[in-house]
Amino acid sequence: MIKYVVSLLCALFVFGGVFADDAESLLAPEPDYTKTETVQGKITSDYLKKGGGKVNIEYMPAYDEARFKYSCPTPLFEQSTAMLAIKESVEAFVKERGYYFYTYLKPDDTYYDGGSDNVVYTSYIKLLN
């Protein structure tokens, strides 16, 4: 009889520990879904630095998503350079933030701003653990 009681108590401790982890996640505060961080992207290769562009990152931590925006003057714009600069920035950002993988959410956008004579090339990235 005592063996059954001890077995029951051990089972309760094990199941209690399993469900305690779930209770902590339920009691955790809800993330701010409107928070957006703006970070400067890192371009390390000399070839891409000469392209005259820069990468800005709009990071949404609640969704694990980011928009990588490459901008440069219209006469200097080449899509291949923009793609390579964004790829470098994504790889540096993924390592820096502790993610392991990334995927593209949708096709990239190219916006030609005639007023300021700039081009903005945007990639939409989903960051994965």
Side-chain angles (χ1 to χ4, degrees):
M1 182 67 176
I2 293 178
K3 290 181 183 178
Y4 294 119
V5 172
V6 170
S7 300
L8 181 63
L9 288 175
C10 288
L12 285 175
F13 284 125
V14 169
F15 289 122
V18 169
F19 291 116
D21 186 41
D22 292 339
E24 287 179 12
S25 66
L26 292 174
L27 297 175
E30 190 169 324
D32 183 12
Y33 292 106
T34 60
K35 180 181 176 189
T36 302
E37 257 181 75
T38 303
V39 182
Q40 185 72 29
K42 295 178 183 172
I43 300 175
T44 56
S45 65
D46 293 332
Y47 169 73
L48 297 174
K49 286 181 183 178
K50 291 179 185 175
K54 61 181 180 178
V55 177
N56 289 322
I57 304 167
E58 294 176 1
Y59 172 57
M60 295 164 279
Y63 298 107
D64 292 330
E65 293 179 5
R67 291 185 196 121
F68 288 78
K69 295 184 174 188
Y70 175 84
S71 59
C72 75
T74 302
L76 300 176
F77 178 72
E78 290 183 16
Q79 185 172 352
S80 61
T81 305
M83 292 172 72
L84 290 173
I86 286 177
K87 184 178 179 185
E88 262 190 21
S89 296
V90 168
E91 290 173 354
F93 187 78
V94 163
K95 284 183 183 178
E96 180 181 295
R97 297 293 173 134
Y99 292 101
Y100 294 106
F101 306 106
Y102 64 93
T103 116
Y104 292 89
L105 289 171
K106 64 180 194 173
D108 297 342
D109 291 334
T110 306
Y111 174 70
Y112 293 90
D113 186 7
S116 65
D117 200 30
N118 279 336
V119 178
V120 178
Y121 184 82
T122 307
S123 288
Y124 303 91
I125 305 290
K126 174 71 175 174
L127 303 165
L128 306 169
N129 289 331

